[in-house]
Amino acid sequence: MAWFVLVVAGLLEVVWATALKHTDGFTRLWPSLLAVASAALSFFMLAWAMKALPVGAAYAVWVGIGAVGVVIAGIVTMQEDAGPARLLFLALIVVGIIGLRLVEH
């Protein structure tokens, strides 16, 4: 259950980080509310997952999911670069996330 909560927390990190792009420095109400609410829930869920998971693995997986997710969101919704080198390094992050999950008990 802790791993599931951690994955959802990572996905919420994608939401708040992407929403930040649309806040215009927190001058737009709805994107700002979405960013703050999803960040708070993401942190809460990360903290909950850390009760059962090692801090290093939990934090690394959370950050990795967020980083990969935000880059993918940028590529898909904001026409950011999707060059081969960028995709290769994203794949390496994903391999790291999977590796951390596999070595945790």
Side-chain angles (χ1 to χ4, degrees), residues 41-74:
L41 186 55
S42 179
F43 284 122
F44 175 80
M45 294 177 80
L46 172 63
W48 187 90
M50 283 183 174
K51 291 192 305 185
L53 300 173
V55 66
Y59 184 72
V61 169
W62 180 73
V63 168
I65 291 170
V68 170
V70 171
V71 171
I72 291 171

Side-chain angles (χ1 to χ4, degrees), residues 1-2 4 15-16 20 30 40 43 49 54-55 61 66-67 69 71 79 85 87 89 93 103-104:
M1 182 66 164
F4 175 78
V15 172
W16 69 257
L20 282 177
W30 294 113
F43 284 122
V55 66
V61 169
V71 171
Q79 292 73 47
L87 296 177
F89 291 119
I93 294 170
V103 299
E104 291 306 320

